[in-house]
Amino acid sequence: PPVPTEPLPRGAQPPAAPEFKAEELPAVELFERALAAQPTRAEARHALARLLIPHALRRHDLEREAAARKKGTRRGQPAPAPESQAAVDFSADRVLRELEAAVRDEKQGSIAVEALIEFATRVGRVEEAEAGFQELLRRLREKPEPMVRYGDFLLNVKRDSQAAIDQYRQALIWKPDQEAVRTKIAEIYLAQAAGYLAAQQWGSADGQLHEAAKYITDKASPQAAALDTYREKLRSIRRSERPLGVPDR
């Protein structure tokens, strides 16, 4: 990895290019020569990507900092100069190309796929990360763990609750006793119910609570307590809106 650097002083510009160690540039050249002779050598492609990843992440973080400073620059002030290109292409795009090629040529295991998922997620390349998860699911069929991880990605990164629920449900098909996965599903439905209650959409809230109840087995859990609270709130709302003389159901 590159030599650690001190945080940039306030207002300072990033250096022209991250420093490569003395042995790294020859290593890049050797990997590139090996791949020119044999382009499908997945292990060489992956090793090259791993060499470039720390530099690519550093550039990614510096560019984000520079963009944030530029956004906060007052009118009339010069924006920081962009970072110049180094002799070696260590951009996020380059790393992703190398990892995607390694994934295509990987004959066994899923080391390159895991590296692709980790790097793409780290640099905010959602489509590439999702493609990595889908490839991982193809390689590890009938295993619930990748399904749960993909569900977490869909929920926390893509903000797609329904797609996340679908993946969690698939994981439960292969391993029904995963209480933690059942809890994840219940919490999604409870959060959606809370949103519907806030929006005064009582029927939709009731439907989400009904779904949440299917996945709550521990009656002493925080999810069970939240379910009871929301149900009681919904009952109170309905009682307050019920015409006089109509019995409570």
Side-chain angles (χ1 to χ4, degrees):
V3 178
T5 57
E6 295 296 326
L8 291 174
R10 186 176 183 85
Q13 297 179 11
E19 295 180 0
F20 280 78
K21 291 181 179 179
E23 66 272 17
E24 287 183 318
L25 292 176
V28 170
E29 183 180 358
L30 288 173
F31 283 133
E32 289 176 340
R33 288 167 57 186
L35 290 167
Q38 192 175 350
T40 58
R41 292 186 64 179
E43 68 278 7
R45 189 80 65 180
H46 182 216
L48 174 57
R50 288 183 60 187
L51 191 157
L52 297 174
I53 280 173
H55 301 285
L57 291 177
R58 181 176 182 273
R59 167 178 279 182
H60 172 75
D61 292 342
L62 287 172
E63 288 176 346
R64 288 186 62 184
E65 291 173 10
R69 287 197 299 272
K70 183 177 180 180
K71 186 177 181 181
T73 300
R74 295 192 299 273
R75 181 173 296 182
Q77 286 185 324
E83 183 181 352
S84 63
Q85 294 293 325
V88 175
D89 179 5
F90 55 92
S91 63
D93 285 338
R94 174 27 176 340
V95 172
L96 287 169
R97 288 196 303 269
E98 301 295 351
L99 289 173
E100 288 167 346
V103 168
R104 288 194 301 270
D105 298 328
E106 195 171 44
K107 304 302 181 184
Q108 295 181 351
S110 56
I111 294 176
V113 181
E114 294 283 6
L116 173 61
I117 291 171
E118 181 179 359
F119 180 78
T121 303
R122 172 69 170 75
V123 298
R125 299 292 287 267
V126 176
E127 291 184 5
E128 289 86 345
E130 184 165 18
F133 273 113
Q134 292 171 354
E135 178 63 25
L136 189 64
L137 292 178
R138 284 191 288 271
R139 296 186 183 193
L140 301 178
R141 297 179 183 274
E142 303 180 10
K143 290 185 178 293
E145 291 79 9
M147 299 173 188
V148 176
R149 288 175 55 198
Y150 186 28
D152 292 343
F153 171 83
L154 292 167
L155 179 64
N156 299 319
V157 178
K158 292 202 71 178
R159 308 296 181 186
D160 190 339
S161 299
Q162 187 54 54
I165 288 173
D166 291 342
Q167 285 301 314
Y168 293 147
R169 284 173 171 167
Q170 286 294 319
L172 288 174
I173 290 174
W174 296 107
K175 195 174 181 182
D177 61 345
Q178 291 189 101
E179 191 62 32
V181 178
R182 300 179 68 86
T183 298
K184 289 175 185 285
I185 298 176
E187 287 179 341
I188 293 174
Y189 282 126
L190 288 169
Q192 291 176 342
Y196 284 128
L197 284 170
Q200 299 184 1
Q201 298 178 28
W202 317 132
S204 296
D206 192 27
Q208 297 301 297
L209 294 176
H210 178 74
E211 292 299 322
K214 297 177 183 179
Y215 296 94
I216 298 174
T217 55
D218 182 1
K219 303 306 180 184
S221 67
Q223 294 75 32
L227 178 65
D228 290 341
T229 298
Y230 291 145
R231 280 178 164 171
E232 179 55 36
K233 181 176 182 179
L234 196 56
R235 283 194 292 266
S236 298
I237 292 169
R238 286 174 169 169
R239 283 195 295 267
S240 66
E241 294 182 345
R242 189 177 65 251
L244 293 175
V246 177
D248 192 8
R249 293 183 180 180

